[in-house]
Amino acid sequence: MKKFILYILVLASYLTTHSQTYITHASLVDPVTQKTLPDQTIVYKDGKILQVAASAKIKLPKGATVIDATGKWVMPGMVDAHVHFFQTGGIYTRPDGIDLRKYKPYEQEIAWYKQHMEQQLRRYTAAGITTVIDDGTTPALLQQRDTFATKDYAPRIYMAGPLISTEYVPPVFDSLPVPDKPIYAVSSGEQAVQKLTTEYPYHPDFIKIWYIVLNPNVKDGAEKNLPSVKATIAEAHAHGYKIAVHATERITAQLAVEAGADFLVHNVEDEVVDDAFVKLLKSHGTVLCPTLVVMDGYFDTFGGHFVATPEDMTLGDPEQLGSLLDFTHMQDSAIVKRYLTISRLRAKRTAQQDSNRLVNLKKLADGGVIIATGTDAGNIGTLHASSFFKEMRTMQQAGLSNWQIITASTLGGAKALGKETVFGSIRPGLSADMLILNADPVADLAGLQKLETVIQRGVLFHPDSLLHLTPVEIIQQQDNAYNAHDLERFLSYYSDTASVYAFPDKLLARGKDNLRKFYGFVSQLPDLHVAIRDRTVLKNRIIDHEAGLAGGQKFEGTAIYEVEGGKIIRLYLVE
Ligand SMILES: [Zn+2]
């Protein structure tokens, strides 16, 4: 009998994968025409879109698999055109930016991002991001990429090889063994070409240049480094690779585009660009990724005012988010003070850069330059998957329309690598990467959060089913909500009948309502913070040694949690 049921299950999943599926009566969000088409039916099979037409024109065969999308919106899966899987988004991930290696050796950070790549990929899919473009990675991660190519839950992954830098490599990266090296410096065209030949065996999807200029005279420095850029572009193009370039000054961006760069991975931030620059990018078909939030991620964290967005709390990695929230409460206050100062100095110096980025984005987008939404996720304070929504909201602040933002977040990302015939819109022949939404994302981008179903290369997922939180991650999310002073979210990690005891058996509170009273202080004490000094995990039991601050008072203690069915059912507090 068991065997028979298994057979039926296998057959059912075979049929849903290999027979035609009809999404009927959908409002179709089309970035190509920037129009929403009413009452459309989309037919797909084996991961490919076969037909898109008005529902009245498509006859449903008997027994067809039908997804009724009446009252729903269907749009292409989104694309984050700028991420880095060799970075975790947490406080320990860039020792060249802030050196905390005495707390966490960098080797541990490398091991973490390798072990958690599946989880990070699941977060992207759960966010409705069905393609990620990693703009510079390591040979080890390029090999990992290949293992995810056949995994249904994983977004489509494109990766550049290690960055080719025009003059500088942070020493912490330079000393790493080859498989973990994300960046190389070259000082001539010949060296650049030689470096590229070492990348080919790992099959990068494109090549990335870090067009850095250290000379305070940017124009002179840019011209001195131009031969390396030109040689890299010519060599990579000759081998059929697209070229992405990091160039944040107007002059480096201009020289890179004139030399044939396909994709600028950041916006120009040193000046407001003129019409000639807009025309240059438009005539070359160069795609630009504005990355508006990444610098704030660093300096909000260093300044002690990192605020987790609602998406960070639900989609972000709990451990890395925790590391950001803990930073100002680290024991080494000398480090914290130093970075508070750096953050303050930076705020004055770079307000102009922030403003230039926004002004330039509006000018370039309105001038017809192809924009691709990208976060630079993985950098400190920019968490994988969740930061995409903050980036889109910031594009809105720059003055872009919702259509411009949705187009940049789907079709624009595909165009960044010349893949618009593979994904990025809902057209026959393209991959069946689609989102079914319960609200109109064009009327309000918040509609993107009303995500009912993600279709990843023809496979259906409910977003919640993608994230399997471990007991430790549940406890850490609860800690993050506590540190963000969000009482209701904090309580959401407890079961309805959860109990809190003073160890060993004195009941302090039982049930949600009593827990809400008992923990009322969470939303009332502005300085409230708890950091984990030491954590022991025994299956579903987690023992945390905690040190914290509440109402000006320091406290220390041990908490013993029991997790069952994805919720905390018991907590013992040991003084
Ligand atoms: Zn980057």
Side-chain angles (χ1 to χ4, degrees), residues 82 84 208 266 376 379:
H82 193 153
H84 295 281
K208 161 92 174 274
H266 294 290
D376 217 350
N379 279 282

Side-chain angles (χ1 to χ4, degrees), residues 82-84 86-87 94 135-136 163 208 210 246 265-266 291 294 375-377 379:
H82 193 153
V83 310
H84 295 281
F86 83 90
Q87 301 179 134
R94 286 297 292 265
D135 292 12
L163 312 182
K208 161 92 174 274
W210 214 35
H246 166 117
V265 301
H266 294 290
T291 62
V294 62
T375 53
D376 217 350
N379 279 282

Side-chain angles (χ1 to χ4, degrees), residues 42-43 48-53 421 425-431:
I42 303 136
V43 189
K48 278 255 160 43
I49 296 165
L50 299 178
Q51 199 184 357
V52 183
T421 55
S425 64
I426 299 176
R427 284 279 188 286
L430 269 64
S431 180

